[in-house]
């Protein structure tokens, strides 16, 4: 069996296990994307719960199979709740992912993300390249919550990601035209996706929802690769529509219906 066959078989097994086990995913995210995030979790067979009240989130995280936290449209309540949930997940060894939305354009989010990473030790740190550079204390070219045009996939940026992974003991996922996922020793470039994914609000948040769902398998690296690849493939399958409204609907439909054969035939990656 080739390395490619081994990887794909592992990804498909993670996908099947989530459908069978229907893990409960606690995702604290923003109101801009919350409905679509819940729906993509449901589409792949998991169960979402989106609790954010500080007095209940520890209990709910404890009952969940994975945690996702998202810094988009940040509020005081969500900041408090995410930290409580993250500490609970770390204490109880529940897989967790943080989405670094906007850390390159806001000191509030940057300082909070640093605090969360140091105290909660997330299994996956996800952002665009500008956000990854920013959290490392390196100058970035973020445009609001979007990556700057100058922050592209280069050997230097991949090395920055590897060092961050080794320093935090986290899988690092940088999303963009080409997605980069590293555990510090192995690095994958995921080359699936389409331009329309950047035209619908919340698709990055949806990727984080998928990551949280698939790392519930306890295969953190494989679950992250699957989540990012799947969103890219389903974006490609959905792009031949009349507009972004139809694209959004078709994207969720394709996440629900995609077959193992389609993933096998469509996935495009490079082991860097």
């Amino acid at each position: 069996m080739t390395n490619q066959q081994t990887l794909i078989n592992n990804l498909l097994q993670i996908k099947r296990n989530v459908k069978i086990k229907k893990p409960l995913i606690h995702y604290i995210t923003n109101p801009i994307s919350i409905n679509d995030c819940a729906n993509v979790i449901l589409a792949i067979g998991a169960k979402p719960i989106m609790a954010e009240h500080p007095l209940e989130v520890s209990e709910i995280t404890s009952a969940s199979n994975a945690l996702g936290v998202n810094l988009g449209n940040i509020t005081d309540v969500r900041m408090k709740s995410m930290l409580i949930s993250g500490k609970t997940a770390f204490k109880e060894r529940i897989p967790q992912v943080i989405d670094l939305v906007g850390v390159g354009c806001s000191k509030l989010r940057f300082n909070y993300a640093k605090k969360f990473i140091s105290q909660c030790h997330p299994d996956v740190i996800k952002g665009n390249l500008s956000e990854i550079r920013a959290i490392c204390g390196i100058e970035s070219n973020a445009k609001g919550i979007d990556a700057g045009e100058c922050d592209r996939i280069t050997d230097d940026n991949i090395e920055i990601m590897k060092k961050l992974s080794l320093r935090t003991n986290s899988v690092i996922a940088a999303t963009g035209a080409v997605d980069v996922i590293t555990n510090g020793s192995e690095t994958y470039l995921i080359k699936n996706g389409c331009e329309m994914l950047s035209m619908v609000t919340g698709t990055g948040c949806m990727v984080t929802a998928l990551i949280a769902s698939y790392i519930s398998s306890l295969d953190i690296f494989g679950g992250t690769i699957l989540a990012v690849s799947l969103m890219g493939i389903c974006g490609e399958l959905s792009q031949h529509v009349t507009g972004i409204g139809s694209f959004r609907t078709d994207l969720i439909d394709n996440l629900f219906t995609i077959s193992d054969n389609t993933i096998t035939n469509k996935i495009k990656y490079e082991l860097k």
Side-chain angles (χ1 to χ4, degrees):
M1 185 177 293
T2 66
N3 289 338
Q4 180 175 358
Q5 288 172 321
T6 300
L7 173 68
I8 292 174
N9 287 345
N10 183 49
L11 299 185
L12 295 180
Q13 189 60 55
I14 294 170
K15 175 177 173 283
R16 286 191 289 267
N17 286 344
V18 165
K19 285 203 171 212
I20 292 167
K21 296 180 180 179
K22 302 186 185 307
L24 182 64
I25 309 303
H26 185 196
Y27 190 24
I28 305 175
T29 189
N30 58 78
I32 300 162
S33 67
I34 192 168
N35 182 259
D36 285 338
C37 290
N39 281 327
V40 300
I41 291 170
L42 287 167
I44 64 169
K47 298 293 184 183
I49 187 165
M50 324 299 272
E52 63 175 54
H53 196 291
L55 297 182
E56 70 171 358
V57 290
S58 181
E59 183 179 4
I60 287 173
T61 298
S62 295
S64 301
N65 301 105
L67 170 68
V69 301
N70 182 302
L71 303 188
N73 188 236
I74 198 69
T75 66
D76 289 343
V77 169
R78 249 181 275 127
M79 288 172 71
K80 184 175 181 180
S81 294
M82 289 189 294
L83 199 61
I84 293 169
S85 292
K87 289 178 179 179
T88 298
F90 176 61
K91 179 181 178 181
E92 301 193 17
R93 298 185 179 181
I94 295 165
Q96 58 175 311
V97 51
I98 182 173
D99 192 337
L100 302 175
V101 181
V103 296
C105 67
S106 162
K107 289 182 180 179
L108 174 71
R109 298 190 205 195
F110 172 81
N111 291 331
Y112 180 80
K114 295 286 283 187
K115 180 178 180 180
F116 186 95
I117 292 167
S118 68
Q119 294 186 8
C120 304
H121 309 282
D123 300 274
V124 181
I125 298 171
K126 178 254 182 188
N128 60 44
L129 263 175
S130 292
E131 290 161 349
I132 297 298
R133 285 177 61 89
I135 204 65
C136 293
I138 300 170
E139 182 180 359
S140 72
N141 299 280
K143 293 185 176 180
I145 63 169
D146 295 324
E149 293 180 5
C150 297
D151 294 333
R152 298 173 181 171
I153 302 302
T154 63
D155 288 342
D156 286 345
N157 280 330
I158 290 173
E159 283 304 311
I160 288 167
M161 291 179 61
K162 286 181 178 180
K163 289 177 181 177
L164 179 62
S165 178
L166 294 171
R167 186 168 72 248
T168 59
N169 197 32
S170 305
V171 169
I172 310 301
T175 54
V178 175
D179 306 306
V180 186
I181 302 167
T182 186
N183 62 4
S185 57
E186 288 186 297
T187 301
Y188 284 85
L189 306 186
I190 309 298
K191 300 183 177 182
N192 293 103
C194 67
E195 187 178 1
M196 289 187 82
L197 282 168
S198 66
M199 298 179 182
V200 175
T201 190
T203 52
C205 305
M206 293 181 226
V207 173
T208 307
L210 295 177
I211 292 173
S213 299
Y214 285 129
I215 66 173
S216 70
S217 66
L218 303 182
D219 184 339
I220 306 301
F221 198 36
T224 304
I225 292 169
L226 174 59
V228 172
S229 301
L230 194 62
M231 179 59 89
I233 293 169
C234 289
E236 293 172 3
L237 295 173
S238 306
Q239 66 184 319
H240 305 294
V241 291
T242 56
I244 60 173
S246 301
F247 175 80
R248 173 178 167 272
T249 299
D250 213 44
L251 180 66
I252 296 173
D253 283 348
N254 277 309
L255 285 166
F256 180 71
T257 60
I258 193 166
S259 68
D260 289 358
N261 283 339
T262 299
I263 294 172
T264 301
N265 293 330
K266 294 283 189 181
I267 190 170
K268 293 178 284 191
Y269 70 88
E270 176 187 344
L271 182 59
K272 186 69 175 174

